[in-house]
Structures are given as C-alpha cells and as structure tokens.
Amino acid sequence: MIDPHLYTVAVHAGTEPDPVTGAVMTPIYQSSTFVQEAPGQHKGWDYSRGTNPSRDALQAALAAIEGARHAIAFSSGLAAEQAIVQNLSPGDHVLVCNDVYGGSGRLFRTVMARFGIEFEFLDLSDLDRARAAMRPETRMVWIETPTNPTLQVLDIAALAEIAHERGAVAVVDNTFASPLFQSPLKLGADIVVHSTTKYIGGHSDLVGGAVMTDDGEWAEKIRYMQFAAGAVAGPIESFLLHRSIKSLAVRMEKHAANAQAVAEFLVEHPKVRQTFYPGLPGHPGHDLARRQMTGFSGIVSFQIDGDLDAATRFVQGLKVFALAESLGGVESLVNHPETMTHASVPPALREELGIGPSLLRLSVGIEHDRDLVDDLAAALEGI
Ligand code: P1T
C-alpha cells in the first residue's frame, strides 16, 4: 500500500502560490534569461540552462515524492543516466544488471564504453556472483528493479551493501516502480534515476528524466554535469510533470490494481506460456517485492504460446491496448521488446533473458479492468 501521506505530498510538493499574481500553480517561465540589476546581481535566476523557476518547482516536487534531499530534472531518462555515468573516469568498472532497458545498455555499451569505462552486465539476482564480480576499480553498481522487460526483482538493500563494502555507489533505476511503490534511498541506494516520461509524466505527452539523491556531493556533481552539458528539462515539460505528480498516487493505485487483474487472467490462459508480474505469488521475486515495494506497479510481461506470427496477430487483434514503445501512461500499451524497445540488446543476451519472438510487454493503463481483460481475451482468441 502506498504510504497514505504521499497522496498529500504528491498534491502539494513544490507548489507555492505565485507571489506576484497568487496563481496556485507555478507558471510556465518560458524564458531563457533573466534581467540583472547590476552585473552579477539578480533574483536567483540568470540563465535557464542553470536554473529556471518552473524546473525548480518540479525538482522540489520530485525530491518530496522520492523522499530525497535533492532532485535534478533532465530532458530525458537517458540524459539523466548519462549525467551520472559521465562522472566516471577511464579505467572505472561498473556492474550493471543484465536486464536493463535496451537504451540504457546501448548508452553504456556503445557510447560510454568508448571513454574507457568498463560496463559488466551480470545477473544481479545472484548476490554471490555480484559480490565476486566487484573489483578494486568498481565505482558503481547499476540496478534496475523491477527490470525491463522481464520484471525480475533485485534486492536493493543487499546490492547496496555489496557496493558499499567496496566503496562503490549503488544507483537504482526506479522507473518501473515509480517513487510511490519503491524508495531505493531508504533501502541504502545512493542515487535514484527515473525516466519521467513514464509513470511520473503519466500521459504519454513528454520525454523527461530525473536524478534524486540524499548525497550532497553527488547532487553537486550531477548539477554541474547538467549545467556544463545542458540536458535540462524545459519549462513546459517541467510544468506538465509537476501537474502530473499531483495525480501520481491515484494513478499508481489503479495501474497496480489493473495489472494484478490482467496478470491473474493471463497466468491461467491456455495460450499464454508464462506470465511475469511481481504481484503473482508464483513469481520468483514475489516475496522480495512484498518486502521492498509498497505495490507491484503496472507492467506485465508474458510469453505467448506461439512465434512472431502469433505475437503479431495478437497485437493486431487488440482494440484497447495500442502497439507502441514506452509505458506508464494512463492508456494501455503493448510492446514487442525483441523488435522494438530491446532490439539493441546483443542477440546472445536477449536469448539468455528470454527476450524472443513470443515475449510481449503490457503497460497496463487506468481504464476499466474488465475492458482490458476482455480486449486481451478477444485478441488471444484470434491467434
Ligand atoms: O526514454 P527516456 O526518457 O530517455 O528513458 C529511458 C529509460 C530509462 N529507464 C527505463 C527503465 C526505461 O524504461 C526507459 C525508457 N523505456 C522505454 C522507452 C520502453 O518502452 O521501455
């Protein structure tokens, strides 16, 4: 269950009536620059790559819902991730869970690795292997949980401890859980990253990212990186995200209830080989998810009983679920990871993870649960 106080925090955080007009919402400060009374004398804002009042309000709200001291809002989830790993140096080693979002893996493998940073992809549900893989030059353990797209649940507290034993930091991509169902910082993680494009934005109308931390030094480093490189959230996106945060708690509750209903339907269906949802008692990560999450969130993956042809006929038979990348919006989406979101994952790793032609990922929206189940049932009937 979501901490009930977070319903209040989500509505009010970062929102102060505008001192000039009394507007209850922080306005969209669509300005790149701010006038100065004398050289270097201004009201706290000079240039919007550094700070912008709309972004400041959003950052206060993001920090509050994540329970973090600091939040920094970026132009995309991957820009936020890049600002974290750009603080590493040649020769540094990073341990990454093997089932990360395809784009995160692509950023690490094809961009950041060229700067001499070594990314080692490993099944971090095996804590002994994770501990054994730590080296003196390991600076970071990169954890995504639940993972995208196979919904493994990784033990944040245990992995943070393994990182800390060797002086490394633990980073958690908290996108799938949202700040309301999982609090990695309270479990010992040092840095949290989100694609705010997903649940925090919630309406499939923007792309954004955020980094949250309690660590003042890391917050400074990431702010500096953002200022130096420039991947800021713009004023309109900041406003939209801030607006969306107000309804995050009620949306997450409905996403999770609908996903549970969908998963319980799929797990019994004869044309479904395997269903992945942490809220199912048979899921290998169910007990851990119960301990470290306050809800199982809204993503359900499954292996359809058939090949690419069956998967294609299934997605084309859906009427409520739309075939599209992304997740976390109010509307239900279906994704085929092998050909869409995870096409950049090396084929051998895709095979090891079970990201093949029959894997489908559902982002369960906030529609009526019966309509969603009926839509899935009719499409399965048609394959
Ligand atoms: O798309 P962007 O805002 O840059 O966020 C990247 C990202 C980071 N982390 C996770 C867990 C993600 O799922 C994503 C983006 N994912 C998709 C677009 C997708 O359909 O899975």
Side-chain angles (χ1 to χ4, degrees):
M1 202 181 92
I2 296 172
D3 172 358
H5 296 295
L6 284 174
Y7 285 79
T8 310
V9 171
V11 171
H12 293 284
T15 311
E16 293 290 338
D18 178 51
V20 178
T21 62
V24 293
M25 272 303 289
T26 306
I28 302 171
Y29 286 92
Q30 192 69 33
S31 188
S32 59
T33 192
F34 299 83
V35 74
Q36 309 205 1
E37 290 121 51
Q41 274 181 41
H42 50 73
K43 294 181 165 59
W45 296 275
D46 55 356
Y47 186 60
S48 283
R49 177 160 31 74
T51 52
N52 173 283
S54 302
R55 193 161 85 242
D56 292 349
L58 165 65
Q59 290 176 162
L62 287 169
I65 54 166
E66 190 68 54
R69 280 202 197 103
H70 311 275
I72 303 127
F74 283 83
S75 54
S76 75
L78 287 178
E81 295 186 13
Q82 187 172 24
I84 298 170
V85 292
Q86 266 177 337
N87 280 286
L88 300 171
S89 301
D92 287 350
H93 171 252
V94 183
L95 212 53
V96 187
C97 65
N98 56 6
D99 188 32
V100 274
Y101 163 57
S104 308
R106 180 176 52 211
L107 171 68
F108 299 159
R109 281 189 192 91
T110 68
V111 181
M112 297 312 297
R114 285 198 281 113
F115 296 88
I117 302 159
E118 191 186 338
F119 294 88
E120 183 179 348
F121 294 79
L122 202 69
D123 175 3
L124 295 188
S125 66
D126 185 337
L127 297 175
D128 293 333
R129 270 185 82 191
R131 190 173 281 108
M134 295 293 289
R135 306 180 196 161
E137 62 273 22
T138 308
R139 298 275 173 269
M140 202 170 262
V141 177
W142 190 280
I143 305 155
E144 188 182 297
T145 182
T147 65
N148 181 0
T150 66
L151 296 160
Q152 293 169 35
V153 182
L154 302 178
D155 190 333
I156 296 172
L159 289 167
E161 205 178 299
I162 289 170
H164 295 161
E165 278 164 10
R166 296 300 195 94
V169 293
V171 181
V172 175
D173 185 332
N174 205 21
T175 300
F176 266 37
S178 93
L180 299 191
F181 283 147
Q182 186 165 268
S183 303
L185 299 177
K186 292 196 184 76
L187 295 165
D190 305 281
I191 300 172
V192 167
V193 63
H194 282 275
S195 167
T196 56
T197 315
K198 310 297 185 289
Y199 286 113
I200 296 176
H203 297 72
S204 306
D205 54 5
L206 59 86
V207 173
V211 176
M212 289 83 143
T213 181
D214 282 337
D215 184 320
E217 253 175 63
W218 265 103
E220 259 334 291
K221 287 201 267 193
I222 287 164
R223 265 190 214 112
Y224 180 81
M225 193 58 72
Q226 183 182 60
F227 179 63
V232 293
I236 293 179
E237 278 74 10
S238 295
F239 173 86
L240 287 171
L241 280 163
H242 193 182
R243 187 275 320 264
S244 292
I245 286 171
K246 293 169 189 289
S247 63
L248 184 60
V250 282
R251 284 190 283 113
M252 291 317 298
E253 196 180 273
K254 182 69 172 148
H255 280 298
N258 281 359
Q260 187 75 37
V262 161
E264 285 172 8
F265 163 76
L266 291 173
V267 79
E268 298 294 341
H269 200 285
K271 289 187 182 169
V272 172
R273 272 209 306 271
Q274 211 180 348
T275 306
F276 308 96
Y277 183 62
L280 291 174
H283 186 283
H286 180 67
D287 290 340
L288 175 57
R290 285 179 73 99
R291 286 203 303 279
Q292 75 177 13
M293 300 177 79
T294 55
F296 304 113
S297 209
I299 311 297
V300 181
S301 294
F302 67 100
Q303 302 278 4
I304 204 161
D305 192 18
D307 51 13
L308 181 60
D309 192 45
T312 304
R313 272 184 288 136
F314 168 74
V315 297
Q316 290 177 340
L318 290 164
K319 294 202 164 51
V320 182
F321 284 82
L323 177 64
E325 303 207 4
S326 203
L327 56 106
V330 290
E331 66 288 295
S332 291
L333 301 179
V334 58
N335 163 52
H336 186 254
E338 185 193 36
T339 55
M340 295 167 62
T341 49
H342 291 71
S344 66
V345 176
L349 179 56
R350 271 210 310 263
E351 196 174 331
E352 185 189 324
L353 293 167
I355 306 174
S358 50
L359 185 73
L360 291 155
R361 187 192 75 190
L362 303 176
S363 173
V364 182
I366 64 167
E367 302 93 335
H368 178 36
D369 58 352
R370 212 52 254 167
D371 291 339
L372 298 179
V373 167
D374 288 351
D375 195 35
L376 295 168
L380 283 168
E381 200 56 41
I383 63 171

